[in-house]
Amino acid sequence: MEFCDECGSMMKTEGDMWVCGSCGAETPREAATESGMVTTQGQEAGEVVDLSDSEADARPTTEIQCVECDNDRAYWELKQIRAADESETRFFTCTECGHKWREDDH
């Protein structure tokens, strides 16, 4: 990838020149410099792995009683819902019934 010295825009290749799409500035291409550049051309597509089913299992859990189903396990997460100088609020989601609540709701 090359950037224009005149305006800072990204340049594209046209033959043996780098050409700026914004201001039209041109710079000669140098094979030695370009040999260290990484391109996406010719790269093989990797295997796409769907993690959506395992995503819930990756969340941290803790021992806490659900008021809806009496299950004793819940996922938890911290969120900043007030001003930055205030502490985070912990949210729970029951691992059995999916009931959601905040730490101060109980």
Side-chain angles (χ1 to χ4, degrees):
M1 187 178 302
E2 194 71 28
F3 292 94
C4 179
D5 290 332
E6 302 295 321
C7 69
S9 296
M10 190 169 58
M11 300 178 85
K12 58 185 176 188
T13 58
E14 288 185 7
D16 56 351
M17 299 293 285
W18 285 100
V19 180
C20 177
S22 296
C23 72
E26 294 184 356
T27 306
R29 293 175 64 182
E30 297 176 15
T33 306
E34 291 181 30
S35 67
M37 294 182 180
V38 177
T39 67
T40 57
Q41 291 178 332
Q43 292 182 352
E44 294 180 24
E47 180 184 357
V48 177
V49 179
D50 182 9
L51 297 176
S52 58
D53 291 337
S54 65
E55 195 171 296
D57 298 333
R59 294 182 290 173
T61 61
T62 188
E63 194 171 313
I64 189 168
Q65 199 76 32
C66 173
V67 296
E68 295 291 315
C69 70
D70 277 343
N71 181 39
D72 65 349
R73 206 99 197 125
Y75 301 112
W76 63 272
E77 61 183 317
L78 294 174
K79 289 187 180 181
Q80 187 72 40
I81 60 171
R82 294 179 291 249
D85 62 343
E86 307 251 350
S87 63
E88 301 96 347
T89 301
R90 190 171 2 185
F91 290 87
F92 298 100
T93 304
C94 178
T95 57
E96 287 295 316
C97 70
H99 174 66
K100 297 180 179 191
W101 71 96
R102 294 185 338 185
E103 189 167 33
D104 57 356
D105 286 348
H106 274 135

